[in-house]
Amino acid sequence: MPLQVQGEILSVKRVGAYQAMTVVAPGIPELTRPGHFLAVQVGGPESSMLLRRAFAIYDVKDRGVYGGTVEFVFAVHGKGTAWLSQRRPQDKLDVVGPLGKPFRLPKNPVNVTLVGGGYGSAPLLPLATALRERGCRVDIVLGAGTADRLFGFMEAKRMADSLAVTTDDGSIGLHGRVSDVLPAVLDKSRADVVYACGPMAMLRAVTDQAAERGIPCQVAVEESMACGIGVCMTCVLPVVGDDGLTRMVRSCVEGPVFLGDRVRWDDVGTVPLDTVGAITAPGAHR
Amino acid sequence: MTDLTTKLAGVTFPNPVFTASGCAAAGRELDQFFDVTRIGGVVTKSIMLDARSGRATPRMAETPSGMLNSIGLQGPGIDQFLEKDLAWLADRGARAVVSIAGGSVDDYAKLAQRLRGHPAVSMVEVNISCPNVEDRGQVFACDPRASSGVVQAVRQNTAAGTPVFAKLSPDVTDITTIAKACVDAGADGLSVINTLLGMVIDTTTMRPALAGITGGLSGPAIRPVAVRCVWQVHAALPDVPILGMGGIRTGLDALEFLLAGASAVSVGTTVFGDPTAPVRVLAELEHALAERGIARLADVIGLAHRPPVPSVPESPDPVGDEPVVDLRRSFDDTFEETS
Ligand SMILES: Cc1cc2nc3c(=O)[nH]c(=O)nc-3n(C[C@H](O)[C@H](O)[C@H](O)COP(=O)(O)O)c2cc1C
Ligand code: FES
């Protein structure tokens, strides 16, 4: 059950190309599991930006000096995130969370590989902690365009049984993509489960490589969302259900975490013709 | 205590704040944030006969003080809606206004039959901003005859005590023509307004931002258009109840619609940014009425249409027993000729 909280910003830090914001948001930390996300109001009460911005939850602390806090990581790529990056400690921030379905954890202490692209590693780091607590072996692969877009390197290094890093420009780690190193990591660590968060193209590649080895894979997708709470139907993507049928599924309530092999990656951004209720006749514009 | 009850075509609601179709699903998600039985009613996402996937993504683009959407009426179809959504609303004790949409007059008639006599249905809202598959995709709401056909079919297939509201599109030359056609066809009230057709082009990809190319514009950006539409419809049909909507964000925005002639309001897009908006708007509206010394909500409905009053409050009333001040005389008394 998500809460709407008038939070107070505790800190805004630059982390490489990103910003990490910590907000005092009593009640939310206790409910949060790795993979949950927050929806944040931007621009203040008179804002011309009506829609919330969604961010994966990175870190939570049940009890700080000021009460429970949540932390999230973001890149400035529009007016809303630019406004957020200019907030200062003690500014108020309206946050709703925790939202979505979190990662499901394995029952047994199995071997797990985590794959993060860019700031997509943010929700994977608390997941790594939870997996370690269950006695899992945790191997991590991080990829980004450039070194300053690699999030959580030190933390991953401290926590993981092994860490592999790739960058598109070779500024740190291997010059290439995570898909260049993932097969070797999966084989060497005898991975039983894969978790991934990052750009769609990466999630798709990870899903394919895990599937080739018959390894189940959970991915956290990032779709554009207007509400984050399941009432607007803007955040859909084609996903195959337990009954084998494809539906346009809301990533904010049925996701953001999906089984990778259930997402119809080829068809994201379209409505496949075999989708339940696909429009074949002229459609309504709303 | 302000009396907030409002009457829509014979049905009394405890207060005038509703959700808007397509902006609240069927109430269940919002019930996590506020008690949905506290508001006037939950207007559900327009439901069609069959399950429908909706359009491809991107379905949304944020615009200044608004947004563009092209969802394409994604929904589970009437069977599942009755079984899951309406059953939940009934269990919860919420007042449901069920919005229906179709591609032909027959679709609408069948939908009305399926809803007939369902205890949870307080009202039926007819979304006529849909393309008519039998008329080259021409939108019903843009043609008085097509609108009238749909409304008549729904009215005939709906129980007598259940009001039928037709939801009007602002994308017409004269909204009162469509309003009158709907009322003549049996509509008990009108929902005003649906979204305005708009478009955004992404200057990076240099392509339309929405997969559906065009979409419906909503949010505070359209509020003056919506208020104008409510005003015109109320002026033309003063006895027809109106459910007003379009960019309502605060209690004062809601009051504006009531003053223009709406008997109740829907809060739509604002919910996306503020899931508790309906109850907040309700509280703010109650406060605004109390501040103005208004004891009954019913007293403000259409109040902005009253003739203008003299702008200087102290100025004596020229009619009645009050002495009439002859301005010319007092001017002459005060000043002398200078030539
Ligand atoms: C995402 C979205 C979906 C909508 N879906 C419907 C719908 O299914 N049926 C309908 O009659 N109106 C629909 N509308 C229109 C709203 O009910 C409302 O008339 C319009 O958005 C203006 O109000 P607002 O500015 O408060 O949102 C939708 C609006 C939005 C933003
Ligand atoms: S973002 Fe609104 S339904 Fe998912």
Side-chain angles (χ1 to χ4, degrees):
Chain A
M1 181 108 156
L3 303 173
Q4 182 175 10
V5 177
Q6 275 299 325
E8 188 180 303
I9 295 169
L10 196 61
S11 68
V12 196
K13 286 180 299 200
R14 259 198 65 183
V15 185
Y18 305 124
Q19 311 273 335
M21 181 176 274
T22 305
V23 185
V24 180
I28 295 182
E30 295 86 329
L31 301 169
T32 300
R33 303 288 171 267
H36 272 138
F37 70 94
L38 290 175
V40 178
Q41 219 171 47
V42 293
E46 293 295 313
S47 176
S48 70
M49 294 177 278
L50 303 178
L51 307 178
R52 282 179 188 257
R53 304 300 190 257
F55 304 104
I57 297 175
Y58 166 44
D59 197 17
V60 293
K61 291 197 173 59
D62 279 9
R63 261 186 297 280
V65 188
Y66 308 97
T69 59
V70 288
E71 186 173 5
F72 58 94
V73 179
F74 63 97
V76 173
H77 53 212
K79 288 195 189 110
T81 42
W83 179 87
L84 263 185
S85 71
Q86 286 148 21
R87 295 309 94 204
R88 292 295 163 256
Q90 289 169 19
D91 285 353
K92 296 278 180 273
L93 196 71
D94 183 313
V95 296
V96 171
L99 293 167
K101 288 221 169 78
F103 291 111
R104 276 145 292 173
L105 302 182
K107 291 200 186 78
N108 302 311
V110 295
N111 300 335
V112 174
T113 299
L114 308 183
V115 189
Y119 59 77
S121 50
L124 297 179
L125 296 166
L127 174 66
T129 307
L131 292 166
R132 291 306 294 252
E133 281 166 6
R134 296 190 167 213
C136 293
R137 177 194 161 100
V138 177
D139 296 272
I140 300 182
V141 180
L142 297 182
T146 52
D148 63 343
R149 294 181 180 275
L150 202 70
F151 181 79
F153 175 80
M154 291 307 289
E155 204 180 332
K157 193 167 168 149
R158 203 165 49 241
M159 216 155 21
D161 289 278
S162 81
L163 171 65
V165 169
T166 67
T167 47
D168 293 351
D169 67 350
S171 52
I172 186 172
L174 190 99
H175 188 167
R177 301 274 164 124
V178 293
S179 50
D180 297 330
V181 299
L182 184 59
V185 174
L186 293 178
D187 294 340
K188 194 162 155 236
S189 66
R190 296 167 179 273
D192 299 300
V193 183
V194 176
Y195 295 89
C197 181
M200 286 296 205
M202 186 203 92
L203 298 182
R204 176 199 183 138
V206 172
T207 298
D208 288 348
Q209 290 178 336
E212 281 163 19
R213 290 162 180 77
I215 305 173
C217 171
Q218 291 181 40
V219 300
V221 302
E222 196 183 69
E223 267 290 339
S224 107
M225 296 179 182
C227 75
I229 58 169
V231 296
C232 75
M233 312 299 288
T234 61
C235 61
V236 297
L237 72 175
V239 174
V240 182
D242 291 338
D243 55 5
L245 298 177
T246 298
R247 291 183 182 78
M248 297 303 281
V249 159
R250 290 168 296 177
S251 59
C252 68
V253 287
E254 279 136 293
V257 176
F258 292 103
L259 291 174
D261 60 0
R262 293 293 184 84
V263 177
R264 294 190 47 179
W265 300 105
D266 282 348
D267 301 313
V268 171
T270 72
V271 179
L273 282 176
D274 59 345
T275 306
V276 173
I279 306 173
T280 44
H285 68 69
R286 315 187 164 102
Chain B
M1 273 296 279
T2 316
D3 175 6
L4 290 172
T5 57
T6 193
K7 243 179 150 166
L8 297 175
V11 177
T12 303
F13 292 87
N15 66 67
V17 179
F18 291 63
T19 61
S21 181
C23 302
R28 198 193 293 237
E29 293 83 358
L30 292 184
D31 200 44
Q32 302 176 100
F33 295 95
F34 67 90
D35 175 353
V36 294
T37 65
R38 277 183 57 204
I39 58 171
V42 175
V43 183
T44 56
K45 167 98 191 149
S46 295
I47 193 75
M48 306 190 76
L49 278 177
D50 298 318
R52 194 167 158 105
S53 68
R55 286 193 180 284
T57 54
R59 291 178 168 186
M60 179 269 285
E62 195 177 45
T63 61
S65 292
M67 69 176 280
L68 214 57
N69 88 82
S70 114
I71 308 297
L73 292 176
Q74 177 166 350
I78 187 75
D79 290 342
Q80 269 216 46
F81 172 81
L82 289 169
E83 201 178 300
K84 297 209 172 118
D85 299 328
L86 201 53
W88 181 84
L89 284 161
D91 264 8
R92 190 68 187 80
R95 287 160 292 277
V97 177
V98 177
S99 170
I100 56 175
S104 68
V105 171
D106 194 47
D107 281 0
Y108 284 96
K110 287 198 177 110
L111 284 161
Q113 281 162 15
R114 299 297 310 276
L115 292 169
R116 192 182 179 106
H118 196 293
V121 182
S122 296
M123 280 190 2
V124 175
E125 185 176 80
V126 193
N127 177 4
I128 51 175
S129 294
C130 301
N132 180 355
V133 294
E134 287 157 1
D135 185 17
R136 293 164 292 123
Q138 156 92 11
V139 175
F140 291 102
C142 295
D143 174 33
R145 289 223 355 233
S147 301
S148 155
V150 169
V151 170
Q152 192 175 11
V154 174
R155 184 59 273 173
Q156 277 169 0
N157 288 287
T158 301
T162 311
V164 170
F165 272 49
K167 184 162 176 180
L168 306 183
S169 165
D171 291 333
V172 293
T173 313
D174 178 6
I175 196 165
T176 65
T177 311
I178 312 285
K180 282 179 190 146
C182 290
V183 170
D184 289 345
D188 305 288
L190 300 163
S191 297
V192 183
I193 56 175
N194 212 317
T195 51
L196 283 86
L197 199 60
M199 185 169 175
V200 167
I201 293 174
D202 182 327
T203 49
T204 306
T205 63
M206 302 201 262
R207 297 265 316 131
L210 299 181
I213 301 180
T214 59
L217 182 64
S218 63
I222 71 167
R223 194 165 64 232
V225 176
V227 171
R228 179 268 294 174
C229 289
V230 170
W231 171 281
Q232 289 180 328
V233 171
H234 183 71
L237 300 161
D239 299 327
V240 176
I242 295 171
L243 178 59
M245 72 206 77
I248 294 173
R249 194 176 196 176
T250 67
L252 289 180
D253 298 341
L255 178 58
E256 207 183 329
F257 278 78
L258 299 171
L259 291 167
S263 297
V265 295
S266 279
V267 179
T269 303
T270 296
V271 168
F272 301 161
D274 182 8
T276 46
V279 279
R280 176 180 54 75
V281 167
L282 178 59
E284 289 169 357
L285 174 64
E286 184 167 15
H287 181 74
L289 292 171
E291 243 179 8
R292 285 158 182 72
I294 292 157
R296 293 183 341 135
L297 176 114
D299 294 341
V300 298
I301 297 169
L303 195 62
H305 290 260
R306 73 195 185 286
V309 288
S311 53
V312 187
E314 282 85 4
S315 77
D317 187 350
V319 278
D321 303 332
E322 297 279 343
V324 176
V325 179
D326 184 337
L327 286 175
R328 165 104 205 139
R329 162 94 70 65
S330 66
F331 187 88
D332 290 348
D333 287 351
T334 315
F335 301 100
E336 53 179 33
E337 303 283 340
T338 49
S339 63

